[in-house]
Structure formats: structure tokens, C-alpha cells
């Protein structure tokens, strides 16, 4: 009996031990340390740490217009980015489940931007916005292409939105395609025989039946856009004049450029709470809309 | 979901419209590729045209300046080692957690799932400090090993979660039969369960590869020294130095994206399946 217990304990250690150690070391400890650092004025040099209570949080809420602006930018970006990329991803999937001759190659085309990391994509698009758009503008005479794009506060926002949608729509398309493939053929045929038009079929049958995919796609798009960092860094570095600074970028700057680690971790904790609340509310809400076929 | 299997006039219109959108999606790549072989002057005068003379030296210069072979090797070794260890450790943990659902394992699994919501920015600042202590204590001098350790930690929750869902669908009878035949737990896992998990192993490797290969922020915080740089870091350092020096920058960008595009085109079927699997279970 005792030998069996030892063997069980050994198995638990061998199978679960390594994962647990790395999890604790890389996520749990830094997360808990972050909680406690957020009440200090730590500047990265260990021997000068002092407990400051809620001062960091007070400062963030009362006296940090940049952080407020970053939150507002991120919120705007998330709302617009999530809607656009989901609408585009869904309609690409909707049309690419029809018997098109080029559908396989088109699926590949729409997905490709997603395999390239946000950093390199941002660099590529810098060239497109500066040189590419200018060339197209000269050719087509459309004022759209002659805007200053990354150089101006208003258009820089939309510049990042364009690249974000271009990058992520293909991924959501893949998920929507697989979900559309599970919509039962007989229901669609029955609706068509009953005289439902295409819009009615789309709204009353297809959309309710693919709600599980909507849950997943909204979740992914919200977490990508709310945590956006790479595109922000490579496209605008938060500029012009800090107008396109995301929360993730603001935290990064606070810690690693201004060396205010205590303040940075306080912001990171607030960021965590907001992300956790938003994503769990969204998943709860869309899950409640799911129906069975 | 094909309402109409027949190819009608309406389908042709749809096909043309979607194909046009597809072409628009490819325009950035067109600009990238044609301009990467132009001289600097040609890029400035007309960036939309086809190249008139090919300036292949852009590539050899970018190849040397980014130390491309070294960067490629760093990216490759970090991605491969992290992937193999992640898949093995997570599969083992998930197997044990499903088959021995003790209170301890249940709590641990809940913590893994909960940790998936934590944004990277919320742990990165103390992480840098923790990693310094870890590397000093263990005497790790190669920062690439430190980076791999980080990937193991960050990858565990999602990877365990995916395996966990998959193992629940494997019937217990197969393992019981093997136990009766005299296999111990380790034998059952490595000879019976692991081979059955192959589809999910492919899925997690695909998802983790795309993540680790393209990651920028974590390596930029952990890696020390120019000769440990991965492709995103090397390209970014080069781009920072040669802003507006488009002829070299674009060639460096093409080099930077080529490996992952080749990986995607050759593994496309598995990647699409992997993403669908990951999304369904996630």
C-alpha cells in the first residue's frame, strides 16, 4: 500500500511537476510580484524601494492624462477594429463557402497576412503608407491616397485600423468558414422552399447557428486589439504627439523608458482587471445567444 | 453550407468581387517585392512600376547587415526547442490531470485556465527581474535558454488546456486493456496515449510556432547581445538604423517574412486545421 502511494506521488511529480514549475516561475511569481510592486516606487534598482500605498493608483487616475488618453485610444480602436475585422472575416467566409472556382487560392490569400508577425507587417505598411499610397494617389487621383496617413493624428488612427483588419480578418475567416460548414444543409433548403430570401436566411438561420464561432471570434479580436503592441510600435511608435498610444505601449514606456517600474506595474494591474472583465462579460453575453440547430 | 451547388451568373459576380478584394489584399506584397529589387533612386521616382533593372545587391547587403543566417538559426532553435518541450510537458500534465482528477489537479487546472486572461504586459516588468535571478542562480549565461524558459511558462496554460480537452475524448478502455497486459503508467502514456494525441500535437505545435516565431516584445526584453537576436529583433534593429533607406530595408523585410511564408504555404492544410481545432476547443 505504501509503495503504491509513493509510486503515485512520483507519477504526479513526473507528469505534472515540470509544467507546474514553469507556470509558477514565469506567470504566478511575476504576477504576484507585480501586485506588490504596484504599491511601491520601485525604479528597477533594488535598493531604493519604498512602500507608497495607493499613491501610484492615485497618480494614474488623477494626474496622468497620457494613460487616460491611451485608454481612450485603445477603447476606440478595439470597438472599431473588432467590428470591422469580424464583419470582413464573416463575409469573406460567407462568400468563400459558395462554389467559387478560385475559393481555395482566395482563402490562402486572405490568410497570408496573419502568419507574418505584427512588427514586420507594420514596417511593410510604413512603406505602403509613405510611398505606395503616394504612387496609387498619383495614378488614380483619389484624395484618399494623398492623405498624410501616419503623419497626422486623425489618419494615423485609421492607418493602424486598416493594418489590423488586413492582418486579422483572415484568421477569423477560417473560424467562420468551419462554423458555416456545420450549418445543416436541410434547414437551409427548407427555408429556401418556404420562400425565405437570402437576407432572411442569413439573419434568421445562419447567424444564430454560428453564434459559437461569433463568441470565439469576438473574444480573439477583442484580446488582440485591446492588447495591441507590435503594430503600434512599428507603425507610429504612439505618435504623432502621443495620439496613437495604446495602453500596452504606455505601460511599456512607463517601465522601460521612464524607468518607473512601480507606476508601470500599477498600470499593468489595472490593465489586467479591465481585460479580464471585458473578455468574461463578452463571452457570457455571446454564449447566452447560442442556439442548437 | 452551400445553398446552391450550381454555378450561376450571380456566383460569377460574387467570384469577381471577392477576387478583387483578394487582389487588394495582395497589393502590399506587390509593393514590397518589386521595390526590394530596385535601386534607391528608382523607388523614389516610381514605386508602383515594375523594376526596370534588378538590384540584387540589396539582398546581399541586407543579408550581411542583419546577419541573417545567425538570426534565422536563433529563431529556429528557440522555436523548435520550446515547441518540443512545451508539447511533451503539457501532454503529460494534461493526461495526469484528466485521469487523476484530484482536488489538487482540479485547482491547478483552473489556475491554468484563469491565467490565460492575464495580458503579457501585466507580468513582463517583474518577469525581467525574476529571470535575472533565475539565470544568476542557475548560472545560465546564454540568454536564448532564458527565453526558452519563458516560452515554456507562457505556453503551458493554453497548451495544457488544448490537450486536456482532447484527452477527455480518448476512451479509457484502451488504457485499461494495456494496464491488464502489464504496462505501467509511463508505458501506457508513451506507447498508447501519446500516439493517439497526434492530431492535437500537430495543432499545438502550429499555434505555438506562429506565436514564438513572430514574437517581438518578450525576446526584446530577455535576449542579451546582438548575436542572440531572432529574425524580428534583427529586422527591427536593421530597420531602425536604415529608416528611409528603403532599398535595403525592403530587402531585409522580404528576407524576414520569407521563412514563415514558406512554412505556411507548405503546411497550409495543417495550419488551417490547427487554427480551427484551437478555436473550437478554446
Amino acid at each position: 500500500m505504501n509503495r503504491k502511494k509513493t509510486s503515485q506521488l512520483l507519477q504526479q511529480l513526473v507528469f505534472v511537476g515540470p509544467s507546474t514549475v514553469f507556470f509558477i516561475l514565469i506567470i504566478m511569481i511575476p504576477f504576484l510580484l507585480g501586485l506588490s510592486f504596484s504599491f511601491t516606487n520601485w525604479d528597477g534598482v533594488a535598493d531604493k524601494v519604498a512602500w507608497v500605498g495607493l499613491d501610484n493608483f492615485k497618480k494614474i487616475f488623477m494626474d496622468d492624462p497620457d494613460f487616460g488618453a491611451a485608454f481612450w485610444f485603445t477603447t476606440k480602436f478595439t470597438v472599431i477594429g473588432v467590428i470591422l475585422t469580424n464583419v470582413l472575416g464573416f463575409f469573406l467566409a460567407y462568400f468563400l463557402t459558395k462554389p467559387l472556382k478560385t475559393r481555395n487560392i482566395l482563402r490562402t490569400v486572405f490568410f497570408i497576412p496573419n502568419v507574418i508577425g505584427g512588427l514586420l507587417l507594420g514596417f511593410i505598411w510604413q512603406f505602403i503608407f509613405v510611398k505606395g499610397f503616394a504612387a496609387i494617389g498619383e495614378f488614380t487621383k483619389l484624395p484618399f491616397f494623398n492623405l498624410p496617413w501616419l503623419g497626422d493624428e486623425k489618419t494615423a488612427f485609421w492607418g493602424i485600423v486598416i493594418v489590423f483588419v488586413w492582418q486579422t480578418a483572415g484568421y477569423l475567416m477560417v473560424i467562420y468558414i468551419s462554423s458555416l460548414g456545420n450549418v445543416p444543409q436541410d434547414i437551409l433548403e427548407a427555408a429556401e422552399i418556404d420562400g425565405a430570401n437570402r437576407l432572411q436566411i442569413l439573419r434568421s438561420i445562419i447567424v444564430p447557428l454560428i453564434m459559437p464561432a461569433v463568441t470565439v471570434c469576438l473574444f480573439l479580436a477583442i484580446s488582440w486589439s485591446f492588447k495591441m503592441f507590435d503594430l503600434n510600435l512599428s507603425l507610429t511608435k504612439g505618435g504623432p504627439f502621443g495620439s496613437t498610444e495604446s495602453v500596452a505601449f504606455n505601460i511599456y514606456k512607463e517601465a522601460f523608458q521612464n524607468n518607473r517600474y512601480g507606476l508601470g506595474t500599477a498600470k499593468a494591474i489595472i490593465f489586467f482587471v479591465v481585460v479580464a472583465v471585458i473578455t468574461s462579460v463578452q463571452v457570457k453575453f455571446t454564449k447566452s445567444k447560442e442556439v442548437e440547430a | 453550407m452551400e445553398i446552391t451547388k450550381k454555378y450561376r451568373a450571380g456566383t460569377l459576380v460574387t467570384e469577381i468581387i471577392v477576387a478583387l478584394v483578394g487582389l487588394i489584399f495582395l497589393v502590399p506584397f506587390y509593393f514590397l517585392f518589386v521595390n526590394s529589387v530596385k535601386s534607391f533612386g528608382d523607388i523614389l521616382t516610381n514605386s508602383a512600376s515594375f523594376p526596370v533593372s534588378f538590384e540584387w545587391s540589396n539582398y546581399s547587403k541586407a543579408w550581411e547587415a542583419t546577419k541573417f543566417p545567425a538570426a534565422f538559426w536563433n529563431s529556429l532553435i528557440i522555436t523548435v526547442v520550446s515547441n518540443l518541450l512545451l508539447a511533451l510537458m503539457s501532454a503529460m500534465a494534461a493526461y495526469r490531470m484528466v485521469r487523476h482528477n484530484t482536488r489538487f489537479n482540479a485547482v491547478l487546472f483552473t489556475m491554468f485556465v484563469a491565467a490565460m486572461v492575464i495580458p503579457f504586459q501585466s507580468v513582463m516588468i517583474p518577469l525581467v527581474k525574476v529571470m535575472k535571478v533565475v539565470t544568476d542562480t542557475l548560472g545560465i549565461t546564454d540568454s536564448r535558454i532564458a527565453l526558452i524558459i519563458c516560452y515554456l511558462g507562457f505556453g503551458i496554460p493554453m497548451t495544457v488546456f488544448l490537450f486536456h480537452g482532447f484527452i477527455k475524448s480518448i476512451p479509457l478502455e484502451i488504457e485499461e486493456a494495456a494496464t491488464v497486459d502489464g504496462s505501467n503508467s509511463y508505458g501506457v502514456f508513451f506507447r498508447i496515449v501519446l500516439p493517439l494525441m497526434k492530431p492535437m500535437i500537430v495543432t499545438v505545435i502550429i499555434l505555438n510556432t506562429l506565436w514564438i516565431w513572430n514574437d517581438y516584445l518578450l525576446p526584446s526584453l530577455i535576449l542579451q547581445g546582438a548575436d542572440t537576436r531572432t529574425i524580428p529583433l534583427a529586422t527591427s534593429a536593421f530597420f531602425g538604423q536604415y529608416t528611409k533607406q528603403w532599398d535595403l530595408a525592403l530587402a531585409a523585410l522580404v528576407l524576414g517574412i520569407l521563412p514563415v511564408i514558406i512554412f505556411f504555404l507548405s503546411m497550409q492544410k495543417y495550419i488551417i486545421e490547427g487554427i480551427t481545432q484551437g478555436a473550437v476547443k478554446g
Side-chain angles (χ1 to χ4, degrees):
Chain A
M1 195 63 213
N2 220 346
R3 250 184 75 193
K4 200 175 167 210
K5 247 191 183 156
T6 326
S7 143
Q8 278 298 329
L9 192 68
L10 186 68
Q11 279 180 39
Q12 173 78 15
L13 273 176
V14 171
F15 278 88
V16 185
S19 296
T20 315
V21 168
F22 285 107
F23 173 72
I24 291 176
L25 188 70
I26 301 300
I27 299 183
M28 288 303 288
I29 293 180
F31 184 70
L32 296 175
L33 278 179
L35 274 179
S36 63
F37 285 157
S38 66
F39 300 104
T40 69
N41 64 358
W42 182 41
D43 62 353
V45 187
D47 51 345
K48 284 202 284 183
V49 183
W51 193 261
V52 294
L54 289 171
D55 277 10
N56 287 330
F57 294 93
K58 252 186 241 158
K59 189 173 162 32
I60 291 166
F61 285 113
M62 315 293 246
D63 186 28
D64 192 342
D66 285 357
F67 191 64
F71 241 107
W72 175 233
F73 166 80
T74 307
T75 311
K76 249 188 340 183
F77 176 78
T78 302
V79 172
I80 293 170
V82 167
I83 293 175
L84 289 182
T85 188
N86 271 283
V87 168
L88 183 61
F90 172 77
F91 277 104
L92 291 178
Y94 179 70
F95 290 121
L96 290 176
T97 42
K98 294 186 180 302
L100 304 186
K101 292 198 167 67
T102 51
R103 77 177 181 186
N104 285 335
I105 179 125
L106 282 173
R107 286 178 183 186
T108 308
V109 165
F110 291 121
F111 190 79
I112 278 191
N114 206 278
V115 298
I116 305 166
L119 194 83
L120 298 192
L121 280 185
F123 289 147
I124 295 172
W125 273 87
Q126 263 197 36
F127 180 75
I128 306 301
F129 281 127
V130 176
K131 289 271 142 220
F133 273 26
I136 301 174
E138 214 171 289
F139 183 69
T140 59
K141 303 277 181 269
L142 289 173
F144 176 86
F145 292 104
N146 291 320
L147 293 172
W149 288 106
L150 300 178
D152 186 72
E153 302 190 9
K154 246 206 156 65
T155 46
F157 172 82
W158 288 101
I160 304 178
V161 170
I162 290 174
V163 183
F164 176 77
V165 172
W166 181 75
Q167 179 191 16
T168 54
Y171 197 101
L172 305 184
M173 173 196 75
V174 167
I175 299 171
Y176 281 126
I177 283 177
S178 101
S179 179
L180 286 170
N182 293 331
V183 173
Q185 193 68 34
D186 48 344
I187 298 185
L188 297 175
E189 276 163 12
E192 210 170 8
I193 292 165
D194 289 347
N197 65 34
R198 248 177 262 177
L199 201 69
Q200 286 170 320
I201 293 178
L202 185 65
R203 215 183 47 202
S204 314
I205 300 176
I206 296 177
V207 171
L209 282 178
I210 61 156
M211 275 319 273
V214 176
T215 303
V216 174
C217 288
L218 281 181
F219 175 83
L220 288 172
I222 290 175
S223 48
W224 290 333
S225 52
F226 213 81
K227 298 187 225 171
M228 180 203 33
F229 179 84
D230 290 10
L231 277 184
N232 205 187
L233 179 72
S234 57
L235 275 173
T236 64
K237 287 202 170 66
F241 313 113
S243 60
T244 62
E245 195 170 284
S246 70
V247 178
F249 194 71
N250 181 281
I251 295 172
Y252 172 82
K253 255 179 56 180
E254 197 66 77
F256 299 112
Q257 285 177 15
N258 303 340
N259 282 329
R260 285 189 288 229
Y261 285 52
L263 198 57
T265 48
K267 289 180 174 184
I269 298 301
I270 298 173
F271 187 48
F272 158 71
V273 173
V274 173
V275 168
V277 168
I278 291 178
T279 45
S280 49
V281 167
Q282 175 263 318
V283 169
K284 246 206 178 94
F285 177 75
T286 42
K287 263 210 187 315
S288 71
K289 301 267 175 214
E290 289 176 15
V291 294
E292 293 281 324
Chain B
M1 200 237 30
E2 281 148 28
I3 303 174
T4 41
K5 287 249 183 337
K6 266 180 296 179
Y7 198 87
R8 297 194 284 214
T11 323
L12 181 68
V13 176
T14 310
E15 178 127 38
I16 292 170
I17 293 172
V18 183
L20 280 175
V21 179
L23 282 179
I24 295 173
F25 257 67
L26 289 179
V27 166
F29 291 110
Y30 168 78
F31 274 103
L32 174 66
F33 286 113
V34 296
N35 287 297
S36 71
V37 288
K38 286 184 195 169
S39 69
F40 189 60
D42 284 354
I43 296 177
L44 290 188
T45 46
N46 195 352
S47 52
S49 72
F50 237 67
V52 270
S53 61
F54 288 83
E55 200 72 49
W56 293 110
S57 64
N58 290 348
Y59 277 89
S60 55
K61 282 181 201 152
W63 179 279
E64 304 234 323
T66 55
K67 299 206 179 73
F68 187 78
F72 180 80
W73 171 249
N74 289 333
S75 279
L76 189 70
I77 193 86
I78 289 166
T79 307
V80 169
V81 175
S82 307
N83 251 310
L84 293 179
L85 291 175
L86 255 181
L88 180 67
M89 284 179 359
S90 307
M92 290 175 77
Y95 172 66
R96 176 82 189 174
M97 286 169 148
V98 173
R99 294 298 185 234
H100 292 261
N101 194 15
T102 57
R103 178 164 300 176
F104 178 84
N105 283 340
V107 169
L108 191 63
F109 183 65
T110 313
M111 283 169 68
F112 283 177
V113 175
M116 290 196 288
V117 225
I118 301 177
F120 174 70
Q121 276 77 13
S122 298
V123 292
M124 69 178 177
I125 303 168
L127 175 72
V128 174
K129 186 146 187 83
V130 170
M131 282 317 291
K132 202 176 159 357
V133 175
V134 170
T135 47
D136 286 351
T137 319
L138 299 177
I140 296 170
T141 48
D142 190 335
S143 57
R144 286 169 294 189
I145 297 176
L147 181 61
I148 291 172
I149 294 177
C150 291
Y151 280 129
L152 296 182
F154 284 117
I156 286 287
M158 172 81 171
T159 316
V160 169
F161 178 71
L162 289 173
F163 279 126
H164 196 274
F166 189 81
I167 293 167
K168 276 195 284 192
S169 68
I170 299 178
L172 199 57
E173 287 79 19
I174 307 174
E175 292 159 47
E176 278 165 354
T179 316
V180 172
D181 292 345
S183 278
N184 64 18
S185 306
Y186 306 99
V188 170
F189 176 76
F190 283 104
R191 273 193 300 255
I192 316 275
V193 179
L194 206 54
L196 286 173
M197 287 204 279
K198 215 173 117 198
M200 193 42 90
I201 294 176
V202 173
T203 296
V204 303
I205 287 184
I206 297 272
L207 292 175
N208 288 333
T209 298
L210 289 180
W211 160 49
I212 295 171
W213 185 273
N214 288 322
D215 195 21
Y216 170 77
L217 184 52
L218 177 60
S220 80
L221 297 175
I222 300 293
L223 291 177
Q224 309 284 336
D227 49 347
T228 62
R229 278 181 189 148
T230 57
I231 289 180
L233 290 185
T235 317
S236 149
F238 181 74
F239 201 84
Q241 249 172 355
Y242 292 83
T243 346
K244 311 288 177 268
Q245 187 81 20
W246 288 115
D247 46 347
L248 300 185
L250 293 175
L253 285 173
V254 172
L255 289 175
I257 65 170
L258 225 45
V260 74
I261 291 204
I262 292 170
F263 173 73
F264 169 64
L265 291 178
S266 54
M267 303 277 288
Q268 194 179 357
K269 198 182 122 226
Y270 298 101
I271 292 177
I272 299 295
E273 258 167 41
I275 283 164
T276 320
Q277 280 300 315
V280 172
K281 307 280 177 202

